[in-house]
Amino acid sequence: MAPHPDEFLLKVTAGPSYDPSTHVVVPVNGPNSIPISSNLCSANLKVRIQNYRGLPHGSPSTHPYFSVPPHTHDQYSIAFTLVPSSSISGNDLVFGNDFDHPIKDRLPPGFNTAFKIVKWGIDPGLEGDFYSDTPHLYGPLLSSINVLKVGGKAQKKGEKWEIPAHVHEDGIEEGADGDGESVRKEVEVPEAAAERKKWALHEDKRAAWTWEEGRVYQGDFFNPYLDFNEFALKLPGFSLSVLPFLNGQDILRYTLKNKSTGEVFFVVVFTLLPKEEADEEDPAAVAGKKTESDVKEEFQPKEDDLD
């Protein structure tokens, strides 16, 4: 008999590398973002999931975010603020899913159809290979992110760029603040999100864009297609349950990275746990007993973080 969604709980962790010991538990649907700091960037991250069942115990099942258009049909959101420590080409900064183990033997029937729907109708910029020993699916951040806001320059404290205190991850809208407006206009980035995403599908357009050292960027990635409550992919005219094909490994990992160097800016990991196992976990002890304050410490990427 196939497992039932009620038998499992979700745990969401995030950090500056693939190494789980650098991760903290994300307070899903909570009021606070988590800071992520490394020699590559300063970042804040907030995750919202509709109908959430998971850790930390007692997490809200929803968030006001999902009651306000245009998010009334969305299932989740990964919102972030990012300040790069060095400049990076618009062609090199990518966002998407990857795994550190083969998954080709666990891909459910209908997966190829699902991928064609995603590639054709949702994000044409996606490229990857789920049948390799290191499965991945990335798109340029410039074309994949649903909402992009370009801010001004951050202040540097010592060797670190500090995210301004007034910047938060609620209500991020397409556009710009301060001289971020001139940054968009300089390379003729369209004002509307949908048009910006189409514009950024062209390699020459992305090449004209630079993710600047010390500049504040904000993004919100969301969609109505991945249902974490039912553990199902629900695409237009096509639905695919992934629960029967899971074996207790990470079900999904989102990574922001430099595709040319392999350097990782941050990762967000969605892990499925049997309910009994999740109930035994002390949220404060999850992910190497690290707390939010721990991730403020400088982190130097390890060799494993470089492809």
Side-chain angles (χ1 to χ4, degrees):
M1 181 179 296
H4 191 275
D6 288 344
E7 299 174 17
F8 299 88
L9 291 177
L10 198 62
K11 179 177 72 174
V12 184
T13 59
S17 81
Y18 290 131
D19 183 356
S21 70
T22 68
H23 295 187
V24 297
V25 174
V26 177
V28 175
N29 295 335
N32 299 320
S33 303
I34 65 165
I36 296 177
S37 180
S38 73
N39 66 332
L40 296 177
C41 70
S42 297
N44 287 338
L45 181 78
K46 177 172 284 191
V47 176
R48 308 173 183 93
I49 299 176
Q50 182 69 298
N51 300 316
Y52 181 65
R53 294 183 295 108
L55 299 177
H57 294 297
S59 297
S61 62
T62 188
H63 190 280
Y65 175 95
F66 298 109
S67 64
V68 179
H71 302 296
T72 52
H73 297 291
D74 289 326
Q75 293 293 327
Y76 70 106
S77 157
I78 301 173
F80 60 85
T81 299
L82 174 74
V83 181
S85 298
S86 59
S87 296
I88 178 172
S89 165
N91 276 320
D92 286 338
L93 192 60
V94 296
F95 182 70
N97 307 118
D98 55 18
F99 300 82
D100 53 15
H101 52 268
I103 61 171
K104 57 187 176 183
D105 294 335
R106 295 193 289 122
L107 294 176
F111 175 82
N112 288 334
T113 299
F115 177 70
K116 289 178 181 178
I117 294 173
V118 171
K119 173 80 173 174
W120 177 76
I122 299 174
D123 190 348
L126 291 174
E127 299 290 345
D129 183 0
F130 276 106
Y131 292 91
S132 72
D133 289 338
T134 54
H136 59 278
L137 183 66
Y138 303 126
L141 182 64
L142 196 56
S143 63
S144 289
I145 200 71
N146 299 78
V147 170
L148 173 64
K149 186 175 185 178
V150 183
K153 283 296 192 89
Q155 296 293 317
K156 202 168 188 180
K157 185 176 181 180
E159 297 299 317
K160 303 293 298 180
W161 292 98
E162 288 199 333
I163 295 174
H166 70 275
V167 173
H168 56 81
E169 289 66 52
D170 293 314
I172 299 173
E173 296 182 349
E174 185 79 17
D177 276 338
D179 68 348
E181 185 172 352
S182 63
V183 171
R184 291 182 67 121
K185 287 183 177 180
E186 184 177 351
V187 291
E188 300 180 339
V189 177
E191 294 183 4
E195 295 305 313
R196 182 258 308 159
K197 294 175 70 176
K198 292 178 182 178
W199 173 88
L201 291 174
H202 301 279
E203 185 175 356
D204 60 329
K205 302 295 187 182
R206 296 195 304 271
W209 175 272
T210 299
W211 300 97
E212 291 182 60
E213 172 187 356
R215 186 168 294 281
V216 179
Y217 299 94
Q218 292 193 282
D220 191 5
F221 180 80
F222 50 83
N223 67 56
Y225 308 117
L226 189 57
D227 187 339
F228 283 105
N229 189 48
E230 297 293 332
F231 307 110
L233 185 63
K234 299 179 178 179
L235 300 171
F238 185 87
S239 182
L240 178 66
S241 175
V242 299
L243 195 57
F245 306 94
L246 301 175
N247 65 355
Q249 300 185 47
D250 296 342
I251 63 168
L252 194 63
R253 182 170 70 191
Y254 280 98
T255 301
L256 181 68
K257 67 186 299 183
N258 183 326
K259 74 172 184 178
S260 292
T261 67
E263 293 174 310
V264 172
F265 285 72
F266 64 72
V267 299
V268 186
V269 181
F270 298 79
T271 303
L272 193 64
L273 297 173
K275 193 172 186 299
E276 295 77 10
E277 180 181 338
D279 287 343
E280 293 174 358
E281 286 200 4
D282 175 4
V286 174
K289 298 184 179 179
K290 297 180 77 67
T291 64
E292 291 183 15
S293 61
D294 291 326
V295 293
K296 294 180 181 178
E297 299 294 329
E298 180 75 15
F299 172 78
Q300 300 295 330
K302 300 179 180 180
E303 292 183 358
D304 290 345
D305 296 325
L306 304 180
D307 291 340

